[in-house]
Amino acid sequence: MAEPLRIVFMGSDPIALPLLDWLAGDGRAVANLVGLFTGPDRPSGRGQAVNPNCVKKWSAGRSLPVHQPERLDGASLADLSTLHADVALVVAYGHILREEFISIPRLGTLNLHASLLPKYRGASPIQTAVAAGERATGMTLLRIVRELDAGPVADI
């Protein structure tokens, strides 16, 4: 039996949590999550206390390295390189990845985008689809390339 893929997850939004649960698999993992990249802890709520985002909260109690760079710089590049990932999977991360980040994982970097591309792009594809009166929406898995939301789409 083949070893599960080594996956680095990059995301900061609650839409990613069901996928993280599935990848972690409650003891029957479909992948080997080797690290998380997510947004930094930020002030939130009435008292503006500094709190982790939902992805960091999800990681609590799991033995995963969590990286929270403000910017993807040389240190972040080095952190990603040390994880020896087969694939990086991006879901609502909030950073545009430069070529040197995209090319680190052995099999590339994939984005799970919250729309049926190419129809809806941008920061709020679900809201845009609802506002346009769409009766159905979905997710698109695509390979990340230099141009935003322009890589080849998986046909599964």
Side-chain angles (χ1 to χ4, degrees):
M1 182 176 197
E3 289 290 315
L5 286 176
R6 294 176 56 83
I7 295 180
V8 169
F9 182 84
M10 304 175 103
S12 301
D13 195 85
I15 198 167
L17 297 178
L19 178 62
L20 282 169
D21 287 339
W22 181 76
L23 289 170
D26 297 328
R28 49 188 197 291
V30 297
N32 183 9
L33 285 174
V34 295
L36 300 173
F37 279 72
T38 191
D41 297 348
R42 301 249 188 247
S44 64
R46 190 176 193 104
Q48 290 296 287
V50 176
N51 291 301
N53 65 43
C54 62
V55 171
K56 185 175 179 187
K57 287 179 187 174
W58 178 90
S59 73
R62 292 177 165 91
S63 59
L64 286 172
V66 177
H67 304 276
Q68 295 182 276
E70 188 70 48
R71 283 188 301 274
L72 295 174
D73 55 14
S76 303
L77 190 65
D79 289 340
L80 181 56
S81 294
T82 63
L83 296 172
H84 304 289
D86 295 314
V87 174
L89 181 57
V90 179
V91 180
Y93 183 37
H95 288 283
I96 295 176
L97 302 177
R98 296 187 320 259
E99 180 64 35
E100 60 247 273
F101 287 90
I102 294 168
S103 63
I104 288 176
R106 181 177 66 86
L107 300 174
T109 301
L110 304 175
N111 180 27
L112 188 59
H113 193 274
S115 76
L116 297 175
L117 291 174
K119 195 165 188 181
Y120 296 106
R121 300 176 188 273
S124 57
I126 296 170
Q127 295 87 335
T128 304
V130 169
E134 294 291 342
R135 297 182 56 77
T137 188
M139 305 285 282
T140 301
L141 182 65
L142 66 148
R143 181 173 299 281
I144 295 180
V145 296
R146 283 182 161 198
E147 190 177 335
L148 195 59
D149 298 338
V153 173
D155 184 14
I156 52 176

